[in-house]
Amino acid sequence: MLPVIVENVPLAPLTTLGLGGAARFFAEIAFAAEMTPALTWAKDKKLPVFTLGGGSNVVVADEGFAGLVLRLRTRGRRWCDDSGETRVEVEAGEAWDDVVAEAVAREAAGIECLSGIPGSTGAAPVQNIGAYGQEIASAIRRVRVLDRQCLDTHELDAGACGFGYRDSIFKREPERFAILSVTLALAKNGPPLVRYAELDAALAGRPGLANVREAVLALRRKKSMVLDEADPNRRSAGSFFTNPVVTAAAAGGLPEDMPRFPLPDGRVKLAAGWLIEHAGLAKGFRMGPVGISSRHALALVHHGGGTTKDLLRLALHVHQTVLDRFGVSLIPEPVFLGMVWPD
Ligand code: EPU
């Protein structure tokens, strides 16, 4: 059945940044079966389509989007315990953190470090959400997708999703698939992953998945990385840039006190937040209605009354300042709608 399609719907209230214009056409998808009729409708009209989840990782152009935005509200979590493994198939519209909370309550390990990440489950594989050394890619058994060209349903295993650091086939080829559901395979009564020293210190020896979840939430709250209405840094898209990955030779030329994380392929991941601060842009830096979070230099914040143009001006300023100081070109992390990042 074709969902109700409405015209000129402001997208800013549907994003955590609270910025950007309207969708020319917009529909809420309550049931996966509404996707095919909606995509067919857009195809007939030769309109581009964008699927929106929680809006926590998207930057919408001030001009809006001259196509159809489908906001996924599908619900359902189907759990199954099977010889030491807990599997769950989650519909795309479910809030991601509700899934983590239930997994932890069921003593199923594998996503506990991904606590407190805003957004929907269907959006989680797009950027391969990650925190404290854990990524959703390692818990994914399969992703059910609708091929937007052929309008048929497929199941992709983790290999077919082409996951990388904050990257996937869904991010690289946004026109190709719509994510319908995500199936996770978790370890029943498995141990939590405590790989980061910061998390280990926060746990102070307390064992178990529930304590890890609590510690991660507390750490994220301190960095304004949990949605909280009372937090002045709340209007952001999380990390605005990815942590840059450079060759060992390039990293060798950078300051010795810079945090660096060697990767298995010999390259080195740098801390973008550190680069921003040490390029001279302090936490709390303001450019009119937008600025750098006062809690974490990697998050750009909209303080109200601003435009996407203001945010982009700030982002380009941050990019240029880091490039001038360290010769490193930061790459934005959110998805852009109705515009492209000027390379
Ligand atoms: N740092 C600074 N100043 C800052 C922030 C960070 O100097 O303002 C330095 C510190 O030295 C710190 C290092 O950067 O040791 C790493 O910082 P942090 O542990 O806060 O993590 P991050 O690399 O900035 C990444 C993810 C986050 C995730 C955290 C926790 C990316 C782009 N971001 O941030 O994910 O929550 O690790 O593991 O990979 C997101 O993607 O939106 C996101 C919030």
Side-chain angles (χ1 to χ4, degrees):
M1 206 179 69
L2 186 67
V4 177
I5 294 172
V6 273
E7 291 190 51
N8 299 322
V9 173
L11 293 172
L14 306 179
T15 68
T16 52
L17 272 167
L19 289 173
R24 175 77 182 87
F25 298 100
F26 177 91
E28 297 242 340
I29 299 286
F31 304 99
E34 293 174 323
M35 283 297 275
T36 301
L39 291 173
T40 308
W41 182 90
K43 208 172 174 184
D44 289 348
K45 293 190 155 42
K46 298 191 168 45
L47 289 170
V49 177
F50 181 78
T51 49
L52 182 69
S56 56
N57 199 46
V58 58
V59 182
V60 180
D62 289 322
E63 296 71 29
F65 179 60
L68 171 66
V69 170
L70 298 174
R71 187 173 184 226
L72 264 86
R73 311 280 280 168
T74 52
R75 291 281 184 272
R77 305 200 283 264
R78 290 174 289 281
W79 297 84
C80 163
D81 281 338
D82 181 17
S83 48
E85 188 176 85
T86 297
R87 279 193 302 279
V88 58
E89 181 175 9
V90 187
E91 294 297 322
E94 288 274 341
W96 169 253
D97 197 48
D98 293 348
V99 181
V100 181
E102 190 172 355
V104 167
R106 286 170 177 262
E107 295 291 342
I111 51 174
E112 59 284 349
C113 295
L114 308 181
S115 292
I117 297 183
S120 68
T121 303
V126 177
Q127 53 150 340
N128 184 16
I129 56 169
Y132 302 103
Q134 200 168 54
E135 288 183 339
I136 193 177
S138 55
I140 281 185
R141 173 61 55 86
R142 57 179 180 270
V143 178
R144 193 157 54 85
V145 295
L146 188 64
D147 184 309
R148 287 170 41 174
Q149 288 311 308
C150 313
L151 297 174
D152 56 358
T153 305
H154 298 282
E155 297 215 319
L156 305 180
D157 63 17
C161 295
F163 288 121
Y165 164 61
R166 288 300 190 280
D167 199 24
S168 71
I169 190 172
F170 312 113
K171 190 164 178 179
R172 291 191 295 276
E173 301 180 35
E175 303 291 317
R176 193 159 163 205
F177 299 116
I179 294 176
L180 299 178
S181 75
V182 178
T183 299
L184 306 170
L186 307 170
K188 180 76 187 158
N189 297 318
L193 183 76
V194 185
R195 186 177 288 168
Y196 274 37
E198 189 187 21
L199 179 57
D200 196 28
L203 274 167
R206 291 171 304 147
L209 294 174
N211 285 325
V212 168
R213 174 169 167 78
E214 208 178 281
V216 167
L217 288 173
L219 286 174
R220 290 188 71 96
R221 236 173 247 123
K222 269 202 271 176
K223 297 178 187 182
S224 296
M225 291 289 182
V226 176
L227 286 185
D228 175 355
E229 274 309 304
D231 187 334
N233 294 301
R234 71 187 177 283
R235 287 201 207 100
S236 85
S239 301
F240 196 89
F241 298 100
T242 53
N243 285 326
V245 175
V246 300
T247 61
L254 292 166
E256 266 177 26
D257 59 339
M258 184 193 62
R260 58 190 80 208
F261 313 93
L263 299 179
D265 65 6
R267 293 183 302 161
V268 180
K269 193 193 263 186
L270 312 175
W274 189 97
L275 293 172
I276 292 168
E277 280 202 285
H278 288 77
L281 296 167
K283 292 188 189 102
F285 172 83
R286 286 284 292 258
M287 262 172 71
V290 294
I292 293 176
S293 165
S294 61
R295 301 270 192 80
H296 198 289
L298 200 40
L300 303 187
V301 173
H302 169 217
H303 292 284
T307 62
T308 300
K309 201 168 161 223
D310 294 325
L311 186 78
L312 219 55
R313 205 159 56 92
L314 169 65
L316 287 168
H317 178 66
V318 171
H319 178 274
Q320 193 60 45
T321 307
V322 170
L323 187 62
D324 290 347
R325 175 71 182 79
F326 296 112
V328 174
S329 177
L330 296 179
I331 298 169
E333 198 261 353
V335 169
F336 290 92
L337 178 59
M339 62 183 189
V340 289
W341 171 254
D343 266 327

